[in-house]
Amino acid sequence: MWQRFTEMARRVIFFAQEEAAKLGENHVSTEHMLLGLIREDDTVAALMLQHMGVSLKKIREEVERRVTRGEGRSGDDMQLAPRAKRVIDLAYDEARQLNNNYIGTEHLLLGLVREQNGLAAQILTELGVDLEKTRQMAEQLQDRKVTKPQDDSLRGRDLLSIKDLSAEEIFKIFAVAAELKSEDRLVNPLLEGKTLAMIFEKQSLRTRVTFETGMTQLGGHAIYLQPADIALGTRESVPDAARNLERWVQGIMARVFAHQTVVDLAKYANIPVINGLSDAEHPCQALADFMTILEKKGDLTKVKLAYIGDGCNTCNSLMLLAAKVGATMTVGCPEGYEPDTAMVTTARRDAKETGATISVMNDPYKAVEGANVIYTDTWVSMGLEAEKEARLKVFEPYQVNQALVDAAAEDVIILHCMPAKRGEEITDEVLDGPKSAAFDEAENRLHVQKAIMALTM
């Protein structure tokens, strides 16, 4: 039986055995399976629940409140109760209906919802989990469906801006990234035989390593093209470079100065173009950031993100994404360094549809009031070195230090897209402190970008 379970689904059953043992039970029932399903908050099932506005913490509280604790035994040989076995049968049926050969966490969730007599179904129903809605979401988010070549919802498309994505597509990327992250094999040959051209006008550590490593782990190959190799716009025009590359490779990632460069690459190349950074946006970074927030905080509609510092490209993408997923975001920045007005307008327009709130203010301490996420970036981006001395003086009150962190919510986490200028926009104490998730955030660049490539190429 277990051969047809994904690695993550098998882990859920193991977790369920542990949960049953903790609660003093002799058998695994539906409520233990539910606890096993939410033990890790980045599985497809957990993402589905959170996207439906269901608190994973609330689920655990409800289960623990309703069960009667007994003597129990070790979870090593814990057997499944009849209702738990019924859930697995129903999960098999859901997988068949979704044309899936393996049982994933999404199918186990559907099985729990369908097994109406179990405590898990009762709790899920009370929390607003509906079978048909869950089934529809599983169709949208399940990784083995969205990563099949015949699924063309994102296939062949460019990712130049967060504006290019719907909320459903954003969560699809998160779901695929989470499944790729959870795999125990190093190489998943989703892009076997395919090549990504990586164009760099700017230096990079994270962008280059994560895209190149990601292509290797997806069974493909990446070519690093440094400025001297192409010299876009001088040695060769952008349209000519795009028309050449489309004949040889299956995708282009470009990290450039001017956003118009990625726009022109996308216009003239009939293959997917991914914006690895431009002066207008940093969409891959923002997606990795919100994947990290989702892992740490769960329901994104309950997130209050405070961005402190320069209203730059990263800030633009974060605003656009926050608006699409229903999060609250406040930008605290010096006067004259606010984010692009058109970006703020677009974000606020989308926010009206999702219930998000996008605010811009000049007081950093007011900006972090109640925030459970604080984000900062360098004050002097590449290309602005001539302004460094003036910027350091202007931004000094906007340093993310312990005093600023203390003014936020007690459970706040700290994010930084890096590279960090320690002692400038952030202190060592904060970046290396217990509330920092910056290195988890950096890791998620790899997983998000693998998902983007798998879905578009």
Side-chain angles (χ1 to χ4, degrees):
M1 175 178 71
W2 304 116
Q3 289 84 354
R4 292 186 60 188
F5 275 56
T6 65
E7 175 65 22
M8 183 54 72
R10 288 196 294 270
R11 288 171 65 183
V12 166
I13 301 302
F14 174 74
F15 291 154
Q17 292 176 323
E18 289 190 335
E19 296 291 345
K22 288 178 184 177
L23 294 172
E25 297 286 350
N26 292 316
H27 293 85
V28 174
S29 195
T30 63
E31 60 268 26
H32 310 121
M33 293 181 70
L34 180 56
L35 291 177
L37 205 61
I38 64 169
R39 174 84 75 86
E40 296 181 344
D41 59 9
D42 57 356
T43 64
V44 173
L47 289 170
M48 289 167 62
L49 288 167
Q50 292 168 95
H51 190 41
M52 288 186 281
V54 178
S55 166
L56 304 186
K57 181 180 178 181
K58 180 66 174 176
I59 290 176
R60 177 168 290 279
E61 289 174 349
E62 285 299 308
V63 172
E64 293 179 348
R65 183 176 67 85
R66 299 188 193 195
V67 298
T68 301
R69 288 165 173 76
E71 294 294 331
R73 61 180 178 182
S74 169
D76 295 340
D77 59 349
M78 192 81 69
Q79 300 299 307
L80 300 181
R83 283 178 181 165
K85 292 179 180 178
R86 171 68 173 155
V87 167
I88 290 177
D89 290 339
L90 293 171
Y92 270 112
D93 183 57
E94 291 293 334
R96 284 193 294 269
Q97 290 186 45
L98 292 169
N99 298 315
N100 204 302
N101 293 323
Y102 291 89
I103 307 301
T105 61
E106 64 270 40
H107 309 122
L108 290 175
L109 175 61
L110 286 165
L112 286 170
V113 178
R114 280 182 63 182
E115 210 294 306
Q116 298 179 352
N117 295 320
L119 178 57
Q122 295 173 29
I123 292 172
L124 290 169
T125 300
E126 290 171 11
L127 293 175
V129 179
D130 172 79
L131 177 60
E132 290 307 313
K133 182 179 179 181
T134 307
R135 191 174 281 153
Q136 291 171 7
M137 190 171 294
E139 291 174 354
Q140 295 172 353
L141 297 184
Q142 64 162 329
D143 65 310
R144 285 174 177 80
K145 185 170 183 178
V146 298
T147 56
K148 284 182 179 179
Q150 59 264 36
D151 181 350
D152 60 358
S153 58
L154 284 168
R155 190 76 54 203
R157 282 174 46 186
D158 305 311
L159 176 53
L160 309 184
S161 165
I162 295 298
K163 290 181 283 188
D164 297 332
L165 299 171
S166 67
E168 291 73 19
E169 289 164 345
I170 289 168
F171 279 97
K172 179 184 290 186
I173 290 171
F174 290 161
V176 175
E179 289 295 328
L180 290 172
K181 182 176 181 177
S182 70
E183 286 186 343
D184 57 357
R185 53 181 171 171
L186 187 59
V187 177
N188 184 329
L190 292 170
L191 297 182
E192 187 173 9
K194 295 188 177 183
T195 301
L196 175 76
M198 304 190 304
I199 299 173
F200 284 84
E201 291 183 342
K202 291 186 172 186
Q203 293 175 313
S204 170
L205 171 65
R206 277 151 296 280
T207 301
R208 179 183 176 181
V209 173
T210 53
F211 269 105
E212 191 164 338
T213 301
M215 277 301 291
T216 299
Q217 293 182 358
L218 293 173
H221 178 65
I223 300 174
Y224 172 56
L225 299 169
Q226 57 187 329
D229 294 324
I230 297 184
L232 282 177
T234 54
R235 179 177 181 271
E236 190 161 15
S237 71
V238 174
D240 284 354
R243 287 167 172 160
N244 276 270
L245 287 171
E246 72 172 7
R247 305 294 182 101
W248 307 321
V249 301
Q250 288 69 51
I252 299 171
M253 186 284 298
R255 180 178 170 89
V256 299
F257 284 98
H259 188 72
Q260 189 61 42
T261 301
V262 292
V263 172
D264 290 343
L265 284 169
K267 178 180 179 180
Y268 291 100
N270 290 315
I271 54 175
V273 174
I274 301 168
N275 180 2
L277 177 141
S278 69
D279 60 355
E281 276 202 60
H282 201 349
C284 295
Q285 179 67 57
L287 286 162
D289 298 335
F290 268 89
M291 177 180 176
T292 309
I293 295 170
L294 184 59
E295 289 175 343
K296 304 293 183 183
K297 297 297 180 184
D299 186 358
L300 294 179
T301 64
K302 294 180 172 58
V303 165
K304 182 177 180 183
L305 166 63
Y307 177 94
I308 306 299
D310 188 22
C312 61
N313 48 6
T314 302
C315 179
N316 290 338
S317 290
L318 288 169
M319 285 192 304
L320 294 171
L321 208 158
K324 285 182 180 287
V325 300
T328 296
M329 179 171 169
T330 302
V331 180
C333 57
E335 186 175 355
Y337 294 90
E338 293 88 352
D340 181 79
T341 302
M343 292 287 188
V344 175
T345 300
T346 300
R348 286 176 172 165
R349 181 197 64 205
D350 290 344
K352 289 180 180 179
E353 299 180 8
T354 64
T357 302
I358 306 298
S359 305
V360 179
M361 60 184 63
N362 302 126
D363 185 339
Y365 281 86
K366 186 176 180 181
V368 302
E369 286 180 3
N372 53 9
V373 182
I374 293 178
Y375 195 115
T376 191
D377 192 2
T378 180
W379 296 336
V380 187
S381 298
M382 277 183 280
L384 299 176
E385 289 81 3
E387 302 177 21
K388 181 175 181 178
E389 187 175 345
R391 279 176 167 262
L392 291 182
K393 292 179 181 178
V394 170
F395 282 94
E396 187 175 357
Y398 295 82
Q399 183 185 72
V400 177
N401 51 36
Q402 194 58 51
L404 190 71
V405 172
D406 290 342
E410 186 177 350
D411 65 341
V412 69
I413 61 170
I414 310 301
L415 299 181
H416 191 309
C417 57
M418 307 183 92
K421 301 298 189 297
R422 291 168 177 264
E424 292 181 11
E425 75 273 3
I426 194 167
T427 62
D428 289 344
E429 180 183 18
V430 171
L431 187 59
D432 297 327
K435 296 181 181 294
S436 175
F439 295 97
D440 295 330
E441 173 190 10
E443 178 190 342
N444 282 336
R445 286 287 301 276
L446 172 65
H447 307 303
V448 157
Q449 288 160 190
K450 285 171 67 175
I452 292 168
M453 293 186 290
L455 290 165
T456 60
M457 293 175 63

